[in-house]
Amino acid sequence: MRCIAHRGFAGLYPENTLTAVRQAADRADMIEVDVRQCRSGDPVVIHDETVDRVTDSTGVVADISLATLQSMDVLETGEGVPSLEAVLRAVPDDVGLNLELKEPGLVERVLELLEEFDTEILLSSFDVETLATARDLDPSVDRALIVDSSSEAAIERAASLDCTAIHPHWRLVDFALLERAHRSDLAVNVWPINDPERATEYEKMGVDGVIVDEPAACR
Ligand code: G3P
Ligand code: MG
C-alpha cells in the first residue's frame, strides 16, 4: 500500500512548504500538495483560496504576485509560499508528487511546467472539468478524481475521465466500492487516515494507498 503524505505530512510539518516536502520525502512514496495560481498565473502551493490562515498576511492568492507570496512567512517557518516549480525541484527522484488542482484555470500552466521534470506525477481534483481538460491537453499524465460525498457515480465518472485512481474520503470506502473501482482498473487512495491501526485495516481491505497527515500511519 502506498503512503501519500497529505500536504507533506501536515500533522508533523508545516503544510505545503518546501520543508514539509523535503522532510516528507524520507517516509512517503508520494507527496500530496495543493496547487493554485497567483496573479501572474504561475502555479503556487497553498491550500486555501486566501493566505490568511497560513501566513502572516491577508488576501486572495489569485490577486497576489509570486514575489509577494514568496516573501510571506508561512506558519512561522520564515519560508514563503512556494512556487510549484520550487516544489518540483525539492522532491527527490524516487518520490512521486500528487498535485491537487484547486482551480480549473491552472491545468495548462501546470502541464507546461511538468514538461521540464521527470517526477512521477498524479494530478487530482474534485472538479471533473479540470480533469477533463488535463486529459485533453496531455492524456499521458495520470489523473485521480477526489470524492468526498456520495460515491454512487464516482467510479463511472472517474473511468469516463480515463483516470488511473479515485481518492475517496474514508467514510465512502467499503468492499463494494473497492471491488467496483478495481474492476474499472482504478486504484483507490483513501484520505485522511492517520491512525496506523486503521491504515492496516484499510490495507487488508485492499486499498492501494492512504493519504495521511502522520507518517506513523505508513509502514
Ligand atoms: O486529496 C485529498 C485531500 O487533499 C482533499 O482535501 O482539503 O485536504 O485538499 P484537502
Ligand atoms: Mg489536498
Side-chain angles (χ1 to χ4, degrees):
M1 186 169 71
R2 295 194 94 190
C3 173
I4 305 172
H6 186 227
R7 307 184 196 177
F9 289 139
L12 194 59
Y13 307 121
E15 67 176 60
N16 288 323
T17 59
L18 291 179
T19 293
V21 168
R22 290 195 184 102
Q23 303 277 348
D26 288 345
R27 302 275 303 270
D29 301 305
M30 180 172 259
I31 299 170
E32 188 259 3
V33 294
D34 302 294
V35 186
R36 296 187 167 275
Q37 57 190 342
C38 67
R39 196 167 69 200
S40 58
D42 286 301
V44 292
V45 169
I46 185 167
H47 181 273
D48 302 354
E49 197 179 341
T50 73
V51 298
D52 303 10
R53 178 178 60 88
V54 294
T55 76
D56 56 344
S57 191
T58 57
V60 174
V61 176
D63 295 340
I64 304 173
S65 72
L66 180 58
T68 303
L69 287 164
Q70 287 169 327
S71 70
M72 291 177 181
D73 184 358
V74 178
L75 298 167
E76 298 179 355
T77 56
E79 285 178 45
V81 175
S83 65
L84 176 58
E85 184 173 351
V87 166
L88 280 156
R89 292 193 193 290
V91 178
D93 292 343
D94 58 342
V95 177
L97 256 191
N98 171 201
L99 304 178
E100 185 189 340
L101 305 177
K102 290 288 191 192
E103 298 176 289
L106 270 172
V107 181
E108 208 163 340
R109 291 291 286 271
V110 168
L111 288 172
E112 241 173 60
L113 183 60
L114 291 177
E115 281 172 21
E116 298 167 36
F117 294 86
D118 293 327
T119 315
E120 179 199 350
I121 298 292
L122 176 60
L123 300 177
S124 65
S125 188
F126 286 101
D127 182 46
V128 168
E129 286 309 311
T130 299
L131 294 173
T133 305
R135 179 202 43 202
D136 295 346
L137 289 173
D138 188 348
S140 73
V141 182
D142 286 348
R143 293 169 303 281
L145 178 65
I146 311 174
V147 192
D148 69 350
S149 52
S150 166
S151 60
E152 211 38 42
I155 289 165
E156 290 69 22
R157 214 172 285 140
S160 74
L161 290 160
D162 302 316
C163 287
T164 53
I166 53 167
H167 289 184
H169 190 276
W170 64 265
R171 282 187 323 262
L172 304 175
V173 177
D174 56 20
F175 285 113
L177 176 128
L178 283 162
E179 210 252 325
R180 286 171 55 225
H182 287 157
R183 221 182 314 128
S184 299
D185 285 329
L186 292 163
V188 180
N189 300 320
V190 183
W191 59 279
I193 306 285
N194 293 311
D195 173 3
E197 284 176 20
R198 287 192 55 232
T200 304
E201 279 169 30
Y202 279 92
E203 182 170 27
K204 283 185 188 152
M205 282 173 76
V207 159
D208 302 280
V210 279
I211 303 176
V212 297
D213 292 293
E214 301 283 346
C218 297
R219 289 196 281 125

